[in-house]
């Protein structure tokens, strides 16, 4: 029996709930415990909603009749054996035939911001990473040149800008890049200096760029550290099309040594970001804009 419309655990984001309209998943998501208000049906969909309700009610009635017949007895008149004192029905799960396709091994999905990232060669999904907003890392770790801890040659982080009234992608990117450099190469949250501290920086690239069909802005720094080869940080900001509409911030943190990923990977990943609801969203607003020196 097809489950009735309602909020169910999102099969591709267990920490979220997703609205099932009675026949298919919708794009509406929420955090568990949020007010149980169903999303407004699309304009002109009244007839479809009523049809779903009538179909669901009919299915429930048929199920009740069949259940009653089974409990009263089988075809040979013998009573049906019960497995417990009461019969309980688990919360319905949407059928697998209506779920999203299996996870693409070459794509990493950020459910919260409704975007996907291309998983390039040498990059993997995060494992044993304490930050919950890291979407991918380079494969493997190494001993940091500074304080005793382990480092990675590359990280890509995806966040939602929620604590800033500024909405301009350019202003947000220029404001964030210094924080990105300090957090990555100066001093971590535990007070350690994996690279001995941050000495200086220079802007190597900045400008407008098209991201998932929307006009964004990025700033890239080359940083020099007390120990080790230094690195690159980039802050990329673009408008979101999901949730509250708050801007999306993507940070890139690359080692500059020979084992670090090439800075060109920042451009490749940016170019490959897509909207979850529109996988062909590489064009659109700002589609002719590219990274500039």
């Amino acid at each position: 029996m097809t489950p009735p419309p309602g909020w169910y655990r999102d099969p591709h984001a267990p920490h979220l709930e997703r609205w099932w309209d009675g026949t298919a998943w919708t794009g509406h998501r929420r955090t568990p415990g949020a007010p149980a208000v169903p999303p407004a049906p699309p304009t002109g969909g009244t007839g479809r909603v009523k049809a779903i309700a009538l179909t669901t009610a009919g299915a429930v009635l048929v199920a009740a009749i069949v259940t009653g017949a089974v409990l009263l007895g089988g075809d040979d008149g013998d009573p049906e054996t019960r497995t417990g004192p009461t019969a309980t029905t688990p919360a319905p799960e949407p059928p697998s035939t209506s779920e999203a396709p299996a996870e693409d091994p070459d794509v990493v999905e950020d459910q919260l911001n409704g975007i996907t990232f291309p998983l390039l060669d040498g990059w993997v999904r995060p494992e044993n990473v304490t930050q919950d907003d890291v979407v991918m890392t380079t494969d493997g770790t190494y001993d940091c040149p500074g304080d005793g801890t382990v480092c990675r040659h590359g990280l890509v982080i995806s966040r939602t800008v929620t604590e800033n009234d500024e909405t301009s992608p350019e202003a947000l990117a220029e404001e964030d890049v210094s924080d990105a450099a300090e957090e990555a190469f100066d001093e971590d949250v535990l007070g350690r200096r994996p690279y001995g501290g941050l000495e200086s920086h220079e802007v190597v690239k900045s400008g407008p760029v098209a991201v998932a069909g929307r006009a964004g802005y990025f700033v890239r720094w080359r940083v020099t550290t007390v120990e080790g080869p230094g690195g690159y940080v980039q802050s990329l900001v673009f408008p979101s099309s999901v949730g509250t509409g708050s801007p999306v911030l993507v940070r890139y943190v690359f080692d500059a040594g020979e084992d670090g990923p090439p800075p060109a990977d920042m451009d490749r990943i940016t170019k490959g970001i897509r909207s979850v609801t529109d996988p062909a969203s590489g064009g659109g607003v700002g589609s002719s804009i590219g990274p500039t020196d």
Side-chain angles (χ1 to χ4, degrees):
M1 183 179 68
T2 302
W7 292 104
Y8 299 100
R9 180 179 59 82
D10 190 329
H12 297 286
H15 62 293
L16 299 175
E17 292 180 339
R18 190 170 178 179
W19 182 257
W20 172 260
D21 68 3
T23 59
W25 290 112
T26 70
H28 299 285
R29 294 179 174 87
R30 68 170 192 177
T31 56
V37 179
T43 304
T46 304
R48 179 169 175 270
V49 172
K50 289 183 178 178
I52 292 172
L54 290 174
T55 301
T56 303
V60 172
L61 178 59
V62 171
I65 294 172
V66 172
T67 302
V70 171
L71 293 178
L72 288 174
D75 291 339
D76 56 2
D78 293 333
E80 182 71 16
T81 302
R82 295 176 180 268
T83 57
T86 59
T88 59
T89 303
E93 287 284 345
S96 59
T97 54
S98 298
E99 292 181 359
E103 186 177 71
D104 188 337
D106 298 323
V107 169
V108 180
E109 186 169 348
D110 176 2
Q111 287 278 352
L112 181 61
N113 291 308
I115 53 177
T116 62
F117 294 82
L119 196 61
L120 306 182
D121 290 343
W123 292 83
V124 297
R125 289 176 172 78
E127 294 182 359
N128 304 317
V129 178
T130 56
Q131 294 173 261
D132 58 6
D133 49 10
V134 174
V135 293
M136 69 176 80
T137 73
T138 48
D139 196 7
T141 60
Y142 68 97
D143 292 334
C144 298
D147 285 356
T149 184
V150 293
C151 290
R152 298 177 188 271
H153 291 296
L155 292 172
V156 178
I157 300 166
S158 181
R159 297 175 177 172
T160 306
V161 180
T162 57
E163 299 180 357
N164 196 320
D165 294 332
E166 179 62 66
T167 59
S168 163
E170 180 176 355
L172 288 170
E174 291 178 344
E175 178 182 329
D176 180 75
V177 69
S178 61
D179 292 337
E182 290 178 2
E183 292 178 19
F185 292 102
D186 189 36
E187 184 175 326
D188 65 20
V189 294
L190 299 179
R192 298 173 301 196
R193 291 179 177 267
Y195 301 91
L198 188 63
E199 283 193 332
S200 62
H201 77 273
E202 62 174 322
V203 179
V204 294
K205 263 190 175 184
S206 66
V209 62
V211 187
R214 298 184 290 278
Y217 197 90
F218 79 102
V219 180
R220 183 182 304 171
W221 281 8
R222 169 68 162 91
V223 299
T224 302
T225 53
V226 175
E227 298 185 52
Y232 296 90
V233 292
Q234 176 172 301
S235 293
L236 166 69
V237 181
F238 56 95
S240 173
S241 63
V242 298
T244 61
S246 298
V248 179
L249 166 66
V250 179
R251 280 185 181 178
Y252 300 82
V253 180
F254 287 17
D255 276 359
E258 60 181 13
D259 294 325
D265 274 7
M266 296 183 182
D267 297 329
R268 297 189 187 102
I269 293 171
T270 298
K271 186 176 181 180
I273 295 175
R274 295 290 184 268
S275 166
V276 170
T277 56
D278 183 10
S281 58
V285 177
S287 60
S288 62
I289 301 172
T292 58
D293 292 334

